Amino acid sequence: MVKPDGVQRGMVGEIISRIEQRGLKIVGLKAVWVDDKTAMEHYKEHANKPFFSDLVNYIKSGPSIPMVIEGRDAITILRKMVGATNPEEAQVGTIRGDFCIDVGRNIVHASDSPESAKMEISIYFDESELMDYTRIDEKWVFE
Ligand code: DAT
Ligand code: MG
């Protein structure tokens, strides 16, 4: 998901480009203005953290672009592309390492496990909004 700061800063195209160019497949995409209930649900694992209310306010602060990304080891690959949670620690070449500085403005969210991906996809998408298709370059991306 491109978070509100990523949308406000015009980073949506850049982030989608990186995902597409890597060879990962976009199977769902939309714009949402996250409400309170959705924000709490999305970040419920952090409900007891001191930064929880700031995090909820941040994700609610403007439109976001949630996406469902598919591909071999997509979760691991995307988490590497996103970089460390604190952008100051994120490697140059990662999305966070290239485009942001502050942990409270780290421009993207990425699911960290199949279980969290399943849960997070169900928050933002209906089954009917996910596309089952073959990308024309798949035989060039995979041996
Ligand atoms: P990630 O977004 O890399 O999966 P996370 O799930 O640990 O990281 O935390 C969710 C978000 O919460 C993170 O993107 C930014 C915020 N956050 C995490 N740790 C924080 C901290 N120590 N101080 C402030 N915000 C924090
Ligand atoms: Mg997380």
Side-chain angles (χ1 to χ4, degrees):
M1 171 186 266
V2 184
K3 294 182 185 176
D5 48 340
V7 175
Q8 290 291 341
R9 295 178 55 201
M11 305 303 303
V12 175
E14 168 71 32
I15 291 162
I16 290 175
S17 281
R18 287 183 177 216
I19 294 167
E20 286 187 304
Q21 287 169 6
R22 186 69 192 265
L24 294 170
K25 181 158 66 182
I26 298 167
V27 301
L29 186 152
K30 62 169 68 165
V32 292
W33 198 313
V34 174
D35 63 16
D36 206 47
K37 184 167 163 277
T38 308
M40 303 263 216
E41 177 67 14
H42 181 144
Y43 282 124
K44 62 179 183 240
E45 66 173 307
H46 299 298
N48 297 320
K49 309 270 172 64
F51 55 81
F52 183 64
S53 64
D54 286 344
L55 183 57
V56 165
N57 287 330
Y58 164 40
I59 203 73
K60 283 166 46 185
S61 64
S64 292
I65 309 292
M67 288 175 261
V68 180
I69 307 298
E70 203 173 84
R72 189 203 294 161
D73 296 324
I75 293 172
T76 308
I77 289 171
L78 206 52
R79 288 289 301 190
K80 281 190 188 154
M81 288 170 71
V82 162
T85 301
N86 183 348
E88 273 200 37
E89 281 149 29
Q91 302 268 337
V92 170
T94 65
I95 294 169
R96 287 170 174 164
D98 287 348
F99 302 127
C100 48
I101 292 169
D102 193 313
V103 71
R105 296 287 182 271
N106 60 4
I107 79 167
V108 279
H109 168 80
S111 305
D112 63 7
S113 67
E115 296 71 37
S116 66
K118 197 167 177 212
M119 191 273 285
E120 289 161 7
I121 290 167
S122 76
I123 294 176
Y124 294 105
F125 292 90
D126 285 331
E127 195 80 35
S128 64
E129 295 173 310
L130 305 179
M131 307 296 133
D132 186 8
Y133 68 103
T134 304
R135 245 173 77 156
I136 199 165
D137 62 0
E138 280 180 31
K139 69 176 177 184
W140 303 107
V141 174
F142 298 104
E143 185 178 359

